[in-house]
Amino acid sequence: MIYLQLFISMAKIGAMSIGGGYVALPLIQQEIVEYRGWLTKSGFADLLTISEITPGPIAVNASTFVGLQVSEILGAIIATLGCVLPSCIIIVILAKIYQKNHDLALFQEILAGLRPAVIGMIASAAVGLMLFAIFKDGMANFATQNINFFGLAIFVLAIIMLRKFKFSPIKTMMISGVIGVVVYGIAGL
């Protein structure tokens, strides 16, 4: 039964991930954390970190990770298939439709309407992750005892490295990971 639930949950996410892996993040959070309870918010943050640093699409990596957490290797395989299969079917159908109708005004209007929605979904996931990194309970509770100052410092440092010093995302993640080991692991904060 768990395998069917994994497949269906990931198939829903795969079918609705129009716009890429980052769009899938709020869908994954809602389905896996809030609805199914397979991961905690902390586990979801770990899932995102692992999905981001491993090669491949984020939604597929996240599905594999969830399946592995829920039901080991077979769960990972089933979850990954559930995520990928609807997308493969949808892309083949859409490619045929686009090939025939890409000049139609209605088709262009549909795409123009989807772009802001996709950006909004990505922004929603980004804000949720930012709140989780900066606030100890993942909520915007501005009491100073709730603020994770080290998380906030790493967040600001990462933005500075990316924007001002033009570090690559890989170098920024590596430096942030080392800082995380030092601050949270060695120093025990």
Side-chain angles (χ1 to χ4, degrees):
M1 187 64 169
I2 191 70
Y3 297 118
L4 182 60
Q5 290 175 341
L6 267 172
F7 184 84
I8 290 171
S9 291
M10 294 305 150
K12 287 193 297 190
I13 291 165
M16 299 309 294
S17 296
I18 298 168
Y22 290 108
V23 173
L25 297 181
L27 301 172
I28 294 169
Q29 181 178 9
Q30 182 181 23
E31 182 72 19
I32 304 309
V33 177
E34 296 167 16
Y35 179 65
R36 297 281 181 188
W38 287 335
L39 293 177
T40 64
K41 285 185 180 184
S42 177
F44 180 69
D46 293 342
L47 166 129
L48 294 178
T49 302
I50 291 169
S51 298
E52 183 68 36
I53 63 173
T54 52
I58 290 174
V60 175
N61 293 347
S63 297
T64 305
F65 182 79
V66 168
L68 191 63
Q69 293 294 313
V70 171
S71 192
E72 299 181 357
I73 297 294
L74 185 56
I77 293 168
I78 289 171
T80 303
L81 287 174
C83 181
V84 171
L85 188 60
S87 300
C88 290
I89 293 168
I90 289 169
I91 198 66
V92 168
I93 293 168
L94 287 177
K96 290 290 185 186
I97 292 170
Y98 183 78
Q99 191 175 28
K100 291 181 182 179
N101 302 306
H102 70 276
D103 290 334
L104 289 178
L106 177 64
F107 195 77
Q108 293 302 317
E109 291 164 359
I110 291 169
L111 291 176
L114 285 174
R115 285 182 203 115
V118 167
I119 292 168
M121 292 177 76
I122 293 169
S124 170
V127 168
L129 288 172
M130 182 184 69
L131 291 175
F132 186 79
I134 295 173
F135 297 99
K136 292 176 183 168
D137 62 2
M139 304 297 287
N141 178 356
F142 294 104
T144 53
Q145 69 269 17
N146 189 43
I147 297 174
N148 177 353
F149 289 103
F150 292 107
L152 179 60
I154 293 170
F155 174 76
V156 170
L157 180 64
I159 290 174
I160 291 169
M161 287 188 292
L162 289 166
R163 295 293 177 198
K164 183 172 176 145
F165 297 110
K166 307 292 185 206
F167 279 30
S168 72
I170 293 171
K171 190 182 282 186
T172 302
M173 287 188 329
M174 290 174 64
I175 293 168
S176 298
V178 169
I179 293 170
V181 167
V182 170
V183 170
Y184 296 108
I186 296 171
L189 301 174

